[in-house]
Amino acid sequence: MRKLIDKFVFTICSLSTVLVLSILALIIIYIFANGVLAINLDFFTKLPKPVGEDGGGMVNAIVGSIIMVTLAALISIPISIGAAIYLSEFGKGFLATIVRFLVDVLAGVPSIVIGIFVYTIVVLPMKRFSAIAGALALAIIMIPTVVRATEEALRLVPQTLREAALALGAPYWRVVLEIVVLSARSSIISGVLLAIARIAGETAPLLFTALGNRFLVTVLDRPMASLPVQIYSYAVSPYDDWHRQAWAATFSLVIFILLINLSVRFFFRTKE
Amino acid sequence: MLVKNRNMENTSLESKEVKEVKEVKESKENKEEAKNLKVEVEAENLNFFYGEKQALYSINLKIPEKSVTAFIGPSGCGKSTFLRTLNRMNDIIVSARVEGKILLNNQNIYAPNVDVVDLRRRVGMVFQKSTPFPKSIFDNIVYGIKINKLANSRTELQQMVEQALKQAALWDEVKDRLNDSALALSGGQQQRLCIARTLAVMPEVILMDEPCSALDPIATEKIEELIVELREKYTVIIVTHNMQQASRVSDYTAFFLLGQLIEFDETEKIFTYPKEKKTEDYITGRFG
Amino acid sequence: MRIIEADLNKLKEKINLMGILTQDAIEQVVKALVERNTELSENVITADDKIDVLENEIDKLATDVMVLRQPAAGDLRFTITCLHTAGIIERVADHAVNIAKHIRVINNEPPLKPYVDLPKMGTITREMFRDSLQALITGDVNLARLTIRRDDQVDDLFHLIYDELLEVMQKDPTTVKRGSELLFVIKHLERMADYATNICEMVIYMMEGKVIKHTQEAF
């Protein structure tokens, strides 16, 4: 009887695993199948053609995504790591509790709300959608993830390592910046990369901030295209060729995110 | 083989009587020296608190310079806490509070004008778990030298690294791979690297908190040999759970129990004829 | 119980047994001498083997304790004392055997003169040895110190008997053989008393950690 229950539980668990894996596999296979057929060199090099004309590409969206994600990372990483260092190394008492709570709240805020927030404080005063607004929204979404990951990584650095550096006559700030952060670097980088992977696929906040652009722009105070928004608008359009291009864009985005995840894996592997 | 050698040695030495007379003389000289020994570290009526809880009760202790002193006692007896008061490492614990004095070369390290960062350079520390920085072997040693601006040129820096590694008996094992990560070293090598790193900043006192408890017997033996050599130049204070280790490496032994210093004396006296019954009970395993 | 405790108890038992056997040997040779009973003294010679075996056992056990149990403080001093004392007791027993061998010759000759001081010296030596052992087993420092002091009595008796024997031998050269055999006997007895003193010194080391051998501060 006991053996029977044992087998039963094992079977249920195995089936669940298979189900999860097959859903994931289906999605990836579906995207790959459609994406591989849809993708071509034009997709990466050409601008979108006017409505009705076949062909063209999404170079505007690709460049736009790269610019805005990079900018978001540049804004959020210093702030997040700074906050994380404060929380882990100096943050004791009431203020730290508040900061930690706010970070938690921020992590739970739906991304569309952040989009509306940035729309209110940046887009409306500027009277224009812009890349900078988009990047700002993405940065805000990124912050809690990076703060959490970094704080966790810093906390995992053994206390004796800090003490060892102190015992050599190092001031505390140097210990933190040179030894503690260094020791936690691979975990911090992993956290940052995962956060980048997450914002690379965000659509909702960009709809209210960067909007989109049919042309390739590199100035930051103009509306800018991005892959997720482009996918969204092409996918809901009635044109077959746009559908094809949406598949191609989805495919590239998934590959990008997959690569980031794999490289994070690689980081942890080499560490241990 | 060993026995043979010993016998041969004996035949080549002076007659027994001459030797005995010499020994008596030497031991007398030693005793006189002991009286004149300079005190390096001194605790005066030291009390220590973690918040409300008192962890050390009026510790009074004089540790002579250029000697090895072992702190022994059961877990939680305060020996590690006391060790950490000697370089103010407890300062980083928020609730910690110290009363009384610790004198380092007759200067109270808890006086308000003391530079804690410089104090910690003068009183180095080696921990139970080896703590190499995630840098190369070379950079591990360099870190302390650079922070304290002890080297004036690249050549001087390299010399100091070499010297520190040699002092820690690690040079021959790592001289061909100074740029490899310190994390790739074995546990015993990492611990010796940490000792080398401490030596590089030219401390006066070296504190060791159970430096061998994570090492195998051979690595332990190497560290112990090193400790005995360090006595020539430094004052070494070591916390250990291993009483054989205390008896092997130390000149003086302090026995702590429940936050109190029960007995402090020459190691040989503690291990053959302790004055306090509590000490006797602890080192003969009658404890508890 | 501490692991070392069983070993130390075993050591103590063996030392005690060795002591009792040696004490018997002393008693028998003194009796054999005074009562001119050669048979008794022959027993002493055969019984010595047992004491030798015990000494080896104690040596082995004490070595094992040192290397395997690594005794410290009181335990260390006890182990060292046992190791040392076993050797001393064995030598006391050897002296008894030597006396027994002299008795073979002495009892074959006509008596030299009625023994007066000799039985006294024998008794004191025997008692000193007995007391030194008791001090060792019970850790009685006072008894050890008292016993050390009695050594002077034995020394005095030794000189007294020595002078007396010389006188007898000078007067009558036919007594030289018996007389010189007796000289050996009293020398052996005197050595035994010295050894008892040594055991007492070990007791003081064991209990107080003080080495009083070769020093003036025995008391």
Side-chain angles (χ1 to χ4, degrees):
Chain A
M1 188 59 198
R2 196 179 293 165
K3 268 191 178 170
L4 217 66
I5 294 176
D6 190 41
K7 266 196 181 149
F8 178 72
V9 172
F10 178 74
T11 317
I12 293 284
C13 292
S14 310
L15 280 177
S16 314
T17 314
V18 169
L19 191 69
V20 170
L21 283 179
S22 41
I23 289 171
L24 189 68
L26 269 177
I27 293 175
I28 290 179
I29 289 169
Y30 198 63
I31 291 173
F32 269 53
N34 286 293
V36 170
L37 290 176
I39 211 156
N40 54 32
L41 194 62
D42 281 357
F43 175 77
F44 293 104
T45 53
K46 296 262 166 68
L47 282 172
K49 288 273 166 68
V51 182
E53 276 181 56
D54 280 3
M58 281 199 189
V59 68
N60 58 336
I62 293 169
V63 172
S65 266
I66 291 172
I67 288 176
M68 284 192 289
V69 168
T70 313
L71 201 58
L74 288 180
I75 296 168
S76 67
I77 289 172
I79 298 174
S80 314
I81 292 185
I85 289 175
Y86 169 77
L87 287 178
S88 135
E89 305 298 319
F90 304 97
K92 281 148 191 153
F94 190 62
L95 184 59
T97 320
I98 298 262
V99 172
R100 219 166 269 136
F101 177 70
L102 289 181
V103 169
D104 282 354
V105 170
L106 196 57
V109 173
S111 57
I112 193 154
V113 175
I114 290 170
I116 291 168
F117 168 71
V118 175
Y119 174 79
T120 320
I121 64 157
V122 181
V123 176
L124 287 184
M126 277 175 79
K127 297 192 172 90
R128 177 195 292 155
F129 294 105
S130 66
I132 190 81
L136 205 61
L138 294 181
I140 294 173
I141 294 169
M142 211 177 150
I143 284 173
T145 325
V146 178
V147 170
R148 289 271 205 65
T150 308
E151 191 193 349
E152 199 63 32
L154 294 176
R155 277 185 191 283
L156 283 178
V157 174
Q159 185 64 21
T160 48
L161 201 64
R162 294 177 178 84
E163 290 176 358
L166 285 175
L168 291 175
Y172 196 64
W173 66 270
R174 289 194 73 163
V175 173
V176 171
L177 293 188
E178 293 170 358
I179 301 298
V180 181
V181 173
L182 185 71
S183 302
R185 70 187 184 285
S186 61
S187 309
I188 295 175
I189 292 172
S190 306
V192 168
L193 286 177
L194 289 173
I196 287 176
R198 193 195 146 189
I199 59 162
E202 282 292 345
T203 322
L206 293 179
L207 282 173
F208 294 95
T209 50
L211 191 65
N213 198 325
R214 298 189 54 77
F215 303 100
L216 181 61
V217 281
T218 47
V219 272
L220 300 179
D221 60 348
R222 301 283 154 183
M224 193 180 264
S226 60
L227 275 175
V229 174
Q230 200 97 337
I231 292 169
Y232 168 73
S233 53
Y234 274 37
V236 296
S237 77
Y239 314 109
D240 279 347
D241 195 55
W242 282 20
H243 290 167
R244 178 188 64 81
Q245 294 213 23
W247 277 120
T250 312
F251 178 64
S252 349
L253 202 57
V254 167
I255 291 282
F256 173 70
I257 292 167
L258 216 59
L259 281 179
I260 287 185
N261 276 291
L262 285 177
S263 66
V264 166
R265 264 293 155 85
F266 182 68
F267 257 114
F268 281 121
R269 284 274 163 74
T270 49
K271 202 184 160 201
E272 277 150 33
Chain B
M1 189 62 203
L2 214 66
V3 173
K4 244 186 199 168
N5 279 343
R6 287 221 182 113
N7 285 342
M8 279 163 68
E9 268 171 32
N10 277 347
T11 52
S12 67
L13 285 174
E14 318 102 304
S15 75
K16 221 177 161 189
E17 286 84 344
V18 176
K19 236 174 87 186
E20 270 169 15
V21 170
K22 260 195 169 174
E23 272 167 14
V24 169
K25 227 178 157 184
E26 271 171 16
S27 73
K28 260 189 189 162
E29 276 169 7
N30 281 345
K31 263 185 192 161
E32 268 157 32
E33 254 175 43
K35 274 178 206 157
N36 298 331
L37 274 179
K38 206 178 134 235
V39 175
E40 174 101 33
V41 179
E42 183 175 356
E44 255 184 49
N45 220 356
L46 188 92
N47 289 297
F48 185 86
F49 303 85
Y50 289 115
E52 294 290 296
K53 197 177 159 288
Q54 187 160 6
L56 294 173
Y57 298 85
S58 56
I59 308 286
N60 285 291
L61 184 64
K62 286 180 186 175
I63 295 171
E65 67 164 2
K66 296 190 176 37
S67 65
V68 179
T69 300
F71 291 174
I72 60 170
S75 298
C77 68
K79 55 190 191 302
S80 280
T81 303
F82 181 61
L83 189 79
R84 294 162 60 91
T85 61
L86 300 180
N87 66 348
R88 293 185 60 170
M89 199 51 91
N90 285 323
D91 285 16
I92 58 178
I93 299 164
V94 179
S95 61
R97 185 160 56 85
V98 175
E99 282 171 9
K101 285 182 187 169
I102 298 282
L103 304 177
L104 177 64
N105 283 321
N106 293 321
Q107 182 204 1
N108 183 11
I109 64 169
Y110 283 96
N113 59 344
V114 166
D115 176 2
V116 181
V117 170
D118 185 56
L119 168 75
R120 294 202 183 117
R121 179 196 64 76
R122 291 168 62 199
V123 185
M125 193 163 192
V126 176
F127 298 84
Q128 177 174 3
K129 230 180 127 246
S130 59
T131 50
F133 302 141
K135 295 165 177 266
S136 71
I137 294 168
F138 186 80
D139 287 341
N140 257 277
I141 312 273
V142 165
Y143 187 71
I145 301 177
K146 277 201 172 156
I147 275 189
N148 294 292
K149 301 188 180 68
L150 297 173
N152 295 317
S153 66
R154 182 83 193 157
T155 1
E156 200 183 343
L157 187 72
Q158 272 161 348
Q159 278 169 359
M160 289 175 83
V161 171
E162 182 175 337
Q163 200 202 344
L165 285 169
K166 276 182 177 162
Q167 265 187 296
L170 191 59
W171 175 250
D172 290 334
E173 290 161 59
V174 301
K175 64 178 175 215
D176 301 322
R177 47 180 179 134
L178 288 176
N179 291 316
D180 286 10
S181 167
L183 300 173
L185 295 172
S186 72
Q189 288 172 327
Q190 287 188 2
Q191 197 60 299
R192 274 180 285 149
L193 179 71
C194 292
I195 294 175
R197 198 170 65 185
T198 304
L199 297 178
V201 299
M202 302 191 276
E204 294 150 41
V205 180
I206 300 170
L207 310 177
M208 299 188 174
D209 195 350
E210 294 183 54
C212 304
S213 64
L215 302 179
D216 65 64
I218 292 175
T220 300
E221 201 182 322
K222 279 194 178 157
I223 304 269
E224 287 181 0
E225 282 167 8
L226 184 55
I227 293 171
V228 173
E229 278 168 30
L230 290 177
R231 176 174 52 185
E232 305 285 320
K233 284 190 181 164
Y234 308 93
T235 305
V236 181
I237 304 174
I238 171 174
V239 164
T240 176
H241 269 131
N242 181 333
M243 278 182 283
Q244 266 80 42
Q245 180 169 70
S247 60
R248 278 194 296 268
V249 304
S250 70
D251 304 304
Y252 301 92
T253 298
F255 171 60
F256 289 83
L257 185 64
L258 299 169
Q260 281 170 322
L261 175 65
I262 303 294
E263 191 169 354
F264 174 71
D265 209 332
E266 286 162 39
T267 299
E268 160 246 326
K269 284 194 184 138
I270 295 275
F271 282 92
T272 53
Y273 192 72
K275 292 192 188 71
E276 299 293 329
K277 187 167 179 310
K278 284 173 185 166
T279 316
E280 164 112 22
D281 285 352
Y282 180 67
I283 62 174
T284 55
R286 274 191 193 85
F287 207 72
Chain C
M1 192 172 73
R2 297 183 307 142
I3 295 170
I4 195 174
E5 205 87 55
D7 298 322
L8 297 182
N9 285 341
K10 216 186 276 172
L11 265 178
K12 199 180 214 173
E13 271 166 35
K14 284 190 192 290
I15 285 280
N16 198 20
L17 180 59
M18 202 179 168
I20 289 169
L21 291 176
T22 308
Q23 215 174 296
D24 285 352
I26 301 173
E27 200 173 342
Q28 284 182 355
V29 285
V30 172
K31 208 169 171 192
L33 187 67
V34 176
E35 294 175 3
R36 299 180 64 78
N37 183 344
T38 315
E39 208 178 305
L40 256 182
S41 61
E42 291 303 313
N43 287 343
V44 171
I45 298 174
T46 46
D48 189 54
D49 292 347
K50 230 183 191 171
I51 294 172
D52 290 347
V53 171
L54 268 173
E55 191 206 3
N56 284 344
E57 286 176 7
I58 290 169
D59 282 359
K60 167 106 179 39
L61 190 56
T63 313
D64 289 353
V65 167
M66 294 227 197
V67 70
L68 300 177
R69 311 285 181 244
Q70 288 149 353
D75 297 342
L76 176 72
R77 284 177 280 124
F78 178 78
T79 312
I80 288 174
T81 302
C82 286
L83 193 59
H84 215 96
T85 310
I88 297 175
I89 297 176
E90 193 271 337
R91 265 169 278 160
V92 172
D94 280 353
H95 282 298
V97 168
N98 284 334
I99 292 177
K101 285 176 183 163
H102 291 299
I103 286 176
R104 280 179 188 158
V105 183
I106 294 167
N107 285 1
N108 271 342
E109 305 248 334
L112 188 65
K113 67 180 256 318
Y115 300 132
V116 185
D117 292 328
L118 193 64
K120 214 193 269 175
M121 188 181 177
T123 309
I124 298 176
T125 303
R126 202 194 72 221
E127 283 174 4
M128 277 180 71
F129 183 76
R130 182 197 64 200
D131 292 349
S132 70
L133 263 179
Q134 203 194 329
L136 175 69
I137 300 300
T138 58
D140 187 340
V141 191
N142 288 332
L143 184 59
R145 289 206 159 88
L146 285 174
T147 308
I148 291 174
R149 262 174 248 169
R150 290 184 78 185
D151 190 41
D152 288 345
Q153 294 176 25
V154 175
D155 287 350
D156 291 346
L157 281 169
F158 171 76
H159 291 299
L160 202 76
I161 299 171
Y162 179 86
D163 291 344
E164 206 179 330
L165 282 172
L166 282 193
E167 216 181 292
V168 171
M169 287 190 283
Q170 274 165 350
K171 275 186 195 151
D172 180 2
T174 62
T175 59
V176 166
K177 189 175 181 192
R178 287 166 283 166
S180 42
E181 289 292 331
L182 277 171
L183 278 181
F184 280 117
V185 170
I186 59 167
K187 186 63 199 165
H188 285 307
L189 283 175
E190 190 265 339
R191 289 302 300 148
M192 282 177 175
D194 283 349
Y195 284 132
T197 312
N198 290 346
I199 294 175
C200 292
E201 287 164 352
M202 287 309 293
V203 173
I204 290 168
Y205 165 75
M206 179 174 89
M207 298 310 293
E208 298 178 353
K210 274 190 253 172
V211 177
I212 59 166
K213 263 190 296 192
H214 318 303
T215 61
Q216 300 302 314
E217 49 161 329
F219 311 106

